[in-house]
Amino acid sequence: MLDRIENGLVAANRWLLIVMLIAMACIVFANVVLRYATDDSIIWAEEVARHLMIWGTFLGAGLVLRYGGHVAIDSLHHAVGNKGAQVLRGIVAFLIGAFCLVMTVASMNYTWFMRFQTTSTTDISFAWIYAALPVGFFLTFIHLLFVVRRYVLEGRYMDSPEMDAESAASL
């Protein structure tokens, strides 16, 4: 049951990122073509593409964490032995989890404060853009919960036939 939930979360997260990246690419491409073909551009294109990039960054952070794509310095893990490395990885995982939870709460407050300010072109509330922060940090925390045991005990991340650390980092 838990595996199905995890697989569903990963699949939904990946497809959402794919759709957002395709939308962003189409918007930017259409804007460039229109600018050079007609000397006119879509006035909202840059703003919407930027907001999609913000959402993509925060939604993708959890997937990148899951496959070990974030920058890490692991030379101390190799120097302290197996038990010491497990303790060190446990501390690191705890700190990452605590950071994600603190940032979820802090960014929820920030999002709430931004609800009356609107964007210049599309005139939507900045709360919709800043909502990417609490959603992304909480999603990263959930991804951490799914991989933490394997990471702490074995020092390994999740394996996937189509995703490795370098591919995850390129998201």
Side-chain angles (χ1 to χ4, degrees):
M1 175 68 171
L2 197 57
D3 285 340
R4 284 185 21 189
I5 293 171
E6 180 181 7
N7 291 337
L9 175 72
V10 170
N13 197 176
R14 288 176 67 188
W15 277 106
L16 186 60
L17 283 171
I18 290 168
V19 168
M20 289 171 61
L21 284 170
I22 289 171
M24 187 172 60
C26 289
I27 290 168
V28 170
F29 178 76
N31 195 37
V32 169
V33 168
L34 282 173
R35 187 177 305 133
Y36 286 106
T38 66
D39 259 354
D40 200 12
S41 63
I42 306 169
I43 60 172
W44 50 265
E46 186 270 334
E47 186 175 285
V48 170
R50 183 176 352 118
H51 298 160
L52 285 170
M53 187 177 294
I54 291 167
W55 269 93
T57 298
F58 283 97
L59 291 180
L63 283 178
V64 174
L65 174 80
R66 161 183 224 63
Y67 296 108
H70 287 290
V71 174
I73 301 170
D74 60 356
S75 54
L76 184 59
H77 292 229
H78 299 299
V80 295
N82 192 31
K83 282 293 182 196
Q86 286 179 345
V87 170
L88 193 58
R89 286 190 299 264
I91 292 169
V92 167
F94 174 78
L95 291 174
I96 291 171
F99 177 77
C100 286
L101 290 178
V102 167
M103 289 304 296
T104 298
V105 172
S107 59
M108 284 171 64
N109 292 333
Y110 189 71
T111 300
W112 180 254
F113 291 132
M114 296 301 292
R115 70 188 184 278
F116 298 118
Q117 187 174 354
T118 59
T119 62
S120 60
T121 307
T122 55
D123 200 36
I124 62 172
S125 172
F126 268 108
W128 289 107
I129 291 98
Y130 287 113
L133 280 77
V135 170
F137 280 117
F138 188 70
L139 193 58
T140 302
F141 179 73
I142 298 299
H143 281 293
L144 176 67
L145 290 179
F146 281 122
V147 301
V148 71
R149 184 167 189 253
R150 183 177 189 180
Y151 170 70
V152 170
L153 295 179
E154 302 172 18
R156 295 182 359 176
Y157 298 96
M158 296 305 292
D159 297 322
S160 173
E162 66 269 342
M163 186 71 64
D164 59 0
E166 288 84 28
S167 300
S170 69
L171 288 175

